[in-house]
Amino acid sequence: MSHKAGFVNIIGSPNVGKSTLMNLLVGERLSIITNKAQTTRHRIMGIVNTDDYQIVYSDTPGLVNSAYALHDSMMAFVRTALQDADILLLVVEIGQKNLNHMATLDKIVAMDVPIIVAINKIDKSDEENVKKQIEVWKNIIPRAEVFPISALHKFNVESLFDRLVELLPQSPPFFDKEEMTDKPLRFFMSEIIREKIFMHYKKEVPYATEVEIESFIDKGHIVHIHANIMVERSTQKGILIGHQGKGLKRVGTEARKDMEKFLDKQVFLEMFVKVDKEWRSKASRLKHYGYNQ
Ligand SMILES: Nc1nc2c(ncn2[C@@H]2O[C@H](COP(=O)(O)OP(=O)(O)OP(=O)(O)O)[C@@H](O)[C@H]2O)c(=O)[nH]1
Ligand SMILES: [Mg+2]
């Protein structure tokens, strides 16, 4: 039998559960998840391999109307994901009657690859509403297949997965069959720290924060990680560190625990908070942090 492989690219509005769904489909905690919009900033690939097929999922940032250069980079990741999809997986949430970005919806409607709309968070609704919602999305994208799911409660995701495998085109694998992602370990370490900052800080602080792994040294039984947390202003630095350093300490403790789970090794984590003035609006800084493609 011939081999199947393809890119299943996950697109949608912010906070609808794209990352939750990708982690579930891949079976690993690759993407960070928080209850705040715009958590994901990169295109993150999660690869599922068997002898017969390879599915390359891409989690992408939620669709945004650009307010600063970082948003442009985030949307550039979405654009490439629209271009190279073999199957487009549009995630929406229950109650959502449209996409927050009409230009992207127009592009999706015009695509000639299979489109699946996953209506997520149906645990928050009832059967009647779910039926209505399916009709809403069938009207918006008539040729899409619609799957009501709950990524959080792992409901109906298996049938979605089976359908994706069916739709996968015949192709040799794109990546080595041992690979699970396109990103290096350092990337996941920085994302774990960012997740804790998104969880524990309000307003601008999470959005003004970037995390850079200065060094990652594997000493066998323990990994030494030195991370710089960059913020845009000194007031944000103060907020992040918190009274007597308690804020930063909490981030460090929680991040280290998650890193140890991810790496299955002991971790020694050192973090420093620094100011990188208006990094979100500067092309050169965004490039430095790995955003420009
Ligand atoms: N009730 C419910 N909540 C869910 C479900 N799936 C995800 N969530 C929650 O929705 C929030 C956003 O989830 P994410 O997976 O980070 O959403 P996202 O679409 O990746 O968000 P961005 O990266 O910001 O665009 C989190 O608090 C999740 O726990 C679901 O099936 N039901
Ligand atoms: Mg996400």
Side-chain angles (χ1 to χ4, degrees):
M1 210 175 72
S2 58
H3 190 272
K4 291 172 119 186
F7 287 87
V8 176
N9 298 347
I10 304 172
I11 308 276
S13 301
N15 213 39
V16 295
K18 299 179 296 300
S19 299
T20 308
L21 178 60
M22 167 153 111
N23 287 353
L24 189 58
L25 288 164
V26 177
E28 291 290 334
R29 215 166 166 274
L30 292 177
S31 280
I32 59 170
I33 295 164
T34 79
N35 60 10
K36 289 193 178 68
Q38 296 175 34
T39 299
T40 306
R41 290 179 181 165
H42 292 263
R43 176 177 180 173
I44 302 163
M45 292 186 188
I47 308 169
V48 174
N49 294 299
T50 70
D51 287 342
D52 305 327
Y53 62 80
Q54 178 175 73
I55 310 181
V56 184
Y57 292 103
S58 287
D59 185 17
T60 63
L63 304 165
V64 281
N65 290 305
S66 187
Y68 36 80
L70 172 61
H71 283 157
D72 295 337
S73 302
M74 287 160 62
M75 285 303 283
F77 288 126
V78 175
R79 272 197 301 280
T80 53
L82 286 168
Q83 280 158 12
D84 65 22
D86 291 300
I87 301 168
L88 190 84
L89 180 48
L90 175 67
V91 181
V92 302
E93 64 182 356
I94 193 82
Q96 186 184 335
K97 294 190 171 66
N98 223 323
L99 211 57
N100 67 323
H101 201 265
M102 291 317 279
T104 301
L105 183 60
D106 291 344
K107 276 189 197 162
I108 292 173
V109 172
M111 285 170 81
D112 55 10
V113 298
I115 299 171
I116 289 185
V117 176
I119 301 173
N120 192 31
K121 308 193 187 182
I122 63 164
D123 53 283
K124 297 211 289 194
S125 189
D126 54 44
E127 214 179 312
E128 198 183 325
N129 262 318
V130 171
K131 274 186 190 155
K132 280 188 198 157
Q133 187 85 52
I134 293 171
E135 287 313 308
V136 167
W137 282 97
K138 279 193 169 155
N139 278 328
I140 298 174
I141 313 174
R143 72 184 186 81
E145 293 178 38
V146 182
F147 282 74
I149 64 163
S150 167
L152 189 66
H153 297 280
K154 303 184 168 71
F155 177 77
N156 208 26
V157 175
E158 229 165 274
S159 60
L160 169 63
F161 182 87
D162 292 344
R163 184 63 184 137
L164 291 170
V165 174
E166 272 174 23
L167 289 169
L168 220 53
Q170 296 206 340
S171 161
F174 295 95
F175 293 88
D176 192 295
K177 283 282 183 103
E178 303 297 309
E179 300 289 336
M180 206 213 301
T181 179
D182 63 324
K183 293 273 183 286
L185 280 178
R186 279 169 183 250
F187 173 78
F188 296 103
M189 300 302 107
S190 67
E191 286 289 272
I192 287 171
I193 296 172
R194 218 165 52 74
E195 180 183 76
K196 304 309 169 200
I197 294 167
F198 260 69
M199 286 168 119
H200 294 308
Y201 295 88
K202 290 186 219 122
K203 295 182 183 159
E204 270 309 281
V205 173
Y207 298 101
T209 299
E210 179 59 33
V211 178
E212 177 178 56
I213 303 300
E214 174 103 16
S215 66
F216 180 105
I217 303 165
D218 192 340
K219 299 198 166 182
H221 65 293
I222 186 164
V223 181
H224 282 233
I225 296 172
H226 172 166
N228 293 324
I229 300 176
M230 318 304 295
V231 288
E232 292 203 307
R233 291 197 294 273
S234 55
T235 46
Q236 294 161 345
K237 177 175 172 176
I239 294 168
L240 238 166
I241 294 170
H243 182 58
Q244 294 177 337
K246 278 186 186 151
L248 188 63
K249 196 165 178 201
R250 175 160 77 163
V251 169
T253 306
E254 292 182 9
R256 179 180 50 76
K257 285 184 187 158
D258 279 10
M259 288 171 173
E260 288 180 338
K261 263 188 235 154
F262 192 98
L263 299 168
D264 200 16
K265 271 189 188 181
Q266 221 182 316
V267 166
F268 177 75
L269 174 63
E270 262 188 309
M271 298 190 306
F272 297 90
V273 185
K274 297 181 178 183
V275 177
D276 185 353
K277 262 193 161 180
E278 290 172 30
W279 66 267
R280 276 185 293 178
S281 307
K282 292 179 182 160
S284 64
R285 299 313 293 156
L286 289 168
K287 193 171 179 194
H288 174 81
Y289 295 128
Y291 287 103
N292 284 18
Q293 298 180 305

